[in-house]
Amino acid sequence: MNLTLLAIGWLMVVATAIPVLRKDAWWIRMFDFPRVQIVVVSVAVLIAYCVTTDTVDVAGGLFIIALSASLLHQGHMMFPYFPFAKKQVQKSQDPKKESSLSLLTANVLMKSRGADRLREIIRHADPDVILTVECDAWWQDQLRDLERTHPYKVHQPQANTYGMLLYSRLELIDPEVKFLIQDDIPSIHASVALPSGQRVELHCMHPRPPFPTEDESSTDRDAELLLVGKKLKPKEIPVIVMGDLNDVAWSRTNYLFQNISGLLDPRIGRGFFNTFHANLPFMRFPLDHFFHSNHFRLIEFKRLAYFGSDHFPVFISLSYEPDAATEQPELQATGNEEARATEKIAKAS
């Protein structure tokens, strides 16, 4: 029994230590994802070991210390996303319709056929802006009805699971499809005009994940995020970045992206809002994101219903309130972080 517990516990310690390495190999970066799962297993092992062990020798003491340190590190990385942590984005107390913006993003799983259910979810949520990713020509045809209520659109269907469709009931200004890092991975960039006349810059992304069947390293994914982040920092207009970023909220890359871009994460202080994998309750991670500048306060943020994809849709409603910037200071990158981002972008170029 103890040998089994020791083996599992030391595996959890190793799984915690591996992502501390600043390496981009997929098998290293994959350990950024299951932090909750590692914590659950580690706690269970630690309790079982302490209950079943009469006398703790030196080796057992080292095991307890190592596993406890592992738990502390995992807790530190995830702490901002617990509901009792300080919120990064304030709740709006008096949102105005003309200055509000609601958005929905959904990874449809290209091979799935849940279009009817997704359309129903969209109708119920009634967002101003809709982004769907993993869309091919079939999905474009299935979602064509959205053009009746959301006439402003950008279509980039692709058969490689990286197609994107953007629909908006508000005017899209200068919409553009870009291939920032890889020539088969699109992103959509535009401005949205609020009813008040205020423009909001919108960046829709779905970078390729580090995985053997996709990309053997996280370099290109990280570089795409950081490239957008570096371009956003000097801007003074409101900004939103949204999409399936194929990275968990608590990864070093996401924290670096926030500091480089200055953008805020409405999840912080509110919860994980796990979106993937929809069919595996014990293996769920927050992969679908909204980041925004400090011009906004939050009206609502929620995960929506299952519709047949391996991702849940996510909905957010934001209130443009310029005074929020004085109470929600934008994040700042250190010199080392700036250098690391520049190096990562150059490595992918």
Side-chain angles (χ1 to χ4, degrees):
M1 176 65 172
N2 275 7
L3 287 177
T4 301
L5 292 174
L6 287 168
I8 297 172
W10 281 116
L11 280 174
M12 295 302 101
V13 172
V14 171
T16 299
I18 284 176
V20 175
L21 301 172
R22 298 189 185 278
K23 302 294 182 182
D24 291 352
W26 73 268
W27 63 270
I28 292 177
R29 295 275 59 90
M30 68 177 285
F31 288 101
D32 285 329
F33 289 66
R35 296 192 186 277
V36 173
Q37 291 77 9
I38 291 171
V39 165
V40 171
V41 173
S42 297
V43 169
V45 168
L46 191 58
I47 292 173
Y49 182 80
C50 291
V51 168
T52 59
T53 303
D54 296 327
T55 304
V56 177
D57 56 14
V58 174
L62 289 174
F63 172 73
I64 292 173
I65 291 171
L67 197 54
S68 299
S70 166
L71 284 168
L72 287 173
H73 176 75
Q74 298 289 13
H76 170 73
M77 294 299 291
M78 294 186 296
F79 177 78
Y81 294 91
F82 284 99
F84 47 76
K86 182 180 179 181
K87 293 176 175 58
Q88 200 169 76
V89 180
Q90 299 171 347
K91 183 78 172 177
S92 178
Q93 300 302 316
D94 186 26
K96 303 292 191 299
K97 186 174 181 179
E98 65 273 12
S99 298
S100 299
L101 177 65
S102 58
L103 310 98
L104 180 151
T105 183
N107 181 317
V108 302
L109 183 61
M110 191 176 76
K111 65 182 180 181
S112 74
R113 292 296 180 259
D116 290 343
R117 280 178 286 178
L118 178 59
R119 287 196 301 269
E120 181 60 31
I121 289 169
I122 290 172
R123 280 194 292 270
H124 187 264
D126 194 30
D128 298 314
V129 176
I130 304 157
L131 172 68
T132 58
V133 302
E134 276 204 32
C135 293
D136 57 4
W138 185 89
W139 273 97
Q140 180 181 349
D141 184 62
Q142 293 297 307
L143 298 178
R144 198 175 303 278
D145 283 354
L146 295 178
E147 297 175 21
R148 298 177 184 176
T149 54
H150 295 71
Y152 301 97
K153 58 187 182 295
V154 181
H155 289 164
Q156 183 62 30
Q158 295 184 184
N160 67 345
T161 73
Y162 290 95
M164 310 178 81
L165 306 175
L166 179 66
Y167 304 88
S168 177
R169 67 159 55 100
L170 304 175
E171 181 185 1
L172 292 176
I173 302 164
D174 299 326
E176 185 178 5
V177 176
K178 297 181 180 181
F179 296 83
L180 296 173
I181 298 293
Q182 297 172 298
D183 59 12
D184 62 341
I185 304 296
S187 54
I188 298 175
H189 309 264
S191 292
V192 179
L194 300 183
S196 64
Q198 174 65 48
R199 290 192 180 189
V200 177
E201 202 171 286
L202 186 63
H203 301 270
C204 307
M205 305 175 67
H206 182 210
R208 181 175 272 124
F211 198 71
T213 58
E214 297 286 344
D215 199 332
E216 292 189 355
S217 83
S218 67
T219 300
D220 290 334
R221 179 203 65 184
D222 299 348
E224 183 169 340
L225 293 173
L226 296 172
L227 181 63
V228 170
K230 285 181 74 69
K231 290 180 178 179
L232 296 180
K233 188 69 170 199
K235 297 180 182 288
E236 295 184 359
I237 66 171
V239 172
I240 297 172
V241 173
M242 64 187 293
D244 172 8
L245 303 187
N246 275 316
D247 199 6
V248 283
W250 49 68
S251 76
R252 291 183 183 275
T253 299
N254 256 7
Y255 286 135
L256 178 60
F257 166 75
Q258 277 198 265
N259 290 342
I260 291 295
S261 66
L263 301 185
L264 308 180
D265 185 349
R267 270 186 171 99
I268 289 180
R270 292 188 167 88
F272 295 161
F273 298 92
N274 293 324
T275 58
F276 173 92
H277 195 289
N279 299 311
L280 300 174
F282 185 65
M283 293 298 290
R284 285 183 179 167
F285 316 105
L287 300 189
D288 302 86
H289 302 269
F290 293 100
F291 294 100
H292 60 79
S293 58
N294 59 355
H295 303 85
F296 298 98
R297 289 190 174 96
L298 182 69
I299 300 173
E300 186 177 19
F301 186 92
K302 60 183 177 180
R303 188 183 75 182
L304 303 178
Y306 176 76
F307 66 96
S309 173
D310 52 355
H311 288 246
F312 293 101
V314 192
F315 172 90
I316 193 170
S317 181
L318 296 168
S319 174
Y320 173 69
E321 302 175 15
D323 69 304
T326 61
E327 300 175 19
Q328 302 175 156
E330 70 175 23
L331 305 178
Q332 299 292 333
T334 64
N336 286 339
E337 288 174 327
E338 292 281 1
R340 201 180 327 141
T342 300
E343 179 183 357
K344 184 90 72 170
I345 294 168
K347 188 177 178 181
S349 300

